[in-house]
Amino acid sequence: MLPRSLPKEINVFIKSGLKEWSAVVDALGTGTQTLIVRTYLPGDKTFLLYPTFSFYANNASKPENFEKFIQPKHVEAARRSGRETTDLARIEYLVKISYFATVTDTLELTKPSQIDALENFSIWTKEHLHAYAASAKSKKCYVWLLRVYELPEPFTVGRIAQGGPPNYYVPPRAIQVDEPLPVLKDDDYNKTAQSLQSLLTTTKPASSKSIH
């Protein structure tokens, strides 16, 4: 069954937020990317997307490092996103939250060719994805398929520790969203999700090219 969207008439109560690079949050928020990769399964199925600036701050003085992690065509947007998030966090000690996401499916990555295939569905380089998967202490790596929604009214929260644990941000109270605004139309999201699911279950050996 294809992933479904949240009915617009349903009130959503969100009790947590997931920390992710600001560049990735913006990619999710524009529909450029519909997944994240984690070494663990989701604790909550619905969460705010909390943008972090540590990736940008650690690499701002080394522009060449961006292309080790981010595909060249996405580098400019990643720098802009990181700069804006960093300025807000360092000057005003605030973080702007504009989106939330619902996990529609999780898929375990079990072979290198699957990781290669993710490059067509994300802003990351496959080299970064391989390095991230190899660093997993649990030896497991998962794709989380996300249906992303805009918050009708973005808000700011106080800055918390960047990078590393805890991976989740916990708001002081549950956030109520009366009318979820999907970033992608149902047909567009379902088509992308189905393509990704199909590709990850039919990937060829690592010596062969991935087909999108």
Side-chain angles (χ1 to χ4, degrees):
M1 181 181 294
L2 291 177
R4 295 180 178 178
S5 62
L6 296 173
K8 290 185 177 181
E9 64 274 13
I10 287 183
N11 291 336
V12 181
F13 291 89
I14 309 170
K15 299 180 180 179
S16 68
L18 186 73
K19 292 162 62 178
E20 180 57 273
W21 294 354
S22 60
V24 176
V25 171
D26 280 355
L28 292 167
T30 58
T32 303
Q33 183 166 321
T34 56
L35 64 89
I36 58 173
V37 178
R38 286 292 189 272
T39 57
Y40 51 88
L41 292 168
D44 294 320
K45 291 295 185 181
T46 299
F47 42 78
L48 300 168
L49 292 172
Y50 181 102
T52 63
F53 65 86
S54 56
F55 167 71
Y56 174 82
N58 291 338
N59 294 284
S61 62
K62 304 172 184 176
E64 66 277 8
N65 280 5
F66 273 85
E67 293 191 10
K68 294 180 181 179
F69 301 94
I70 307 292
Q71 295 177 47
K73 62 183 177 181
H74 300 298
V75 165
E76 183 178 350
R79 286 177 178 156
R80 181 173 61 252
S81 173
R83 184 167 55 250
E84 292 173 355
T85 302
T86 300
D87 288 347
L88 182 63
R90 286 185 167 175
I91 297 173
E92 300 186 43
Y93 288 86
L94 294 173
V95 172
K96 182 179 179 181
I97 296 181
S98 302
Y99 308 101
F100 75 93
T102 294
V103 181
T104 62
D105 201 359
T106 56
L107 304 167
E108 184 175 358
L109 299 173
T110 59
K111 48 190 175 182
S113 55
Q114 291 176 310
I115 297 176
D116 290 342
L118 295 181
E119 194 173 46
N120 291 324
F121 293 87
S122 75
I123 67 171
W124 296 302
T125 62
K126 61 184 178 182
E127 290 79 12
H128 166 61
L129 290 168
H130 278 289
Y132 177 76
S135 70
K137 293 181 179 179
S138 65
K139 304 302 180 183
K140 292 182 179 293
C141 205
Y142 303 92
V143 170
W144 299 9
L145 284 176
L146 301 182
R147 188 71 197 269
V148 179
Y149 299 83
E150 289 185 64
L151 291 171
E153 295 184 10
F155 62 94
T156 56
V157 297
R159 164 187 160 186
I160 61 173
Q162 298 285 302
N167 297 304
Y168 283 90
Y169 158 75
V170 180
R173 58 181 176 79
I175 305 299
Q176 179 178 345
V177 182
D178 295 328
E179 295 186 3
L181 306 171
V183 167
L184 293 177
K185 295 180 180 179
D186 290 353
D187 288 346
D188 292 336
Y189 178 77
N190 287 340
K191 181 179 179 180
T192 299
Q194 186 179 43
S195 295
L196 181 58
Q197 290 169 321
S198 176
L199 188 60
L200 291 181
T201 55
T202 59
T203 45
K204 296 181 179 180
S207 59
S208 299
K209 290 184 178 181
S210 299
I211 300 174
H212 177 46

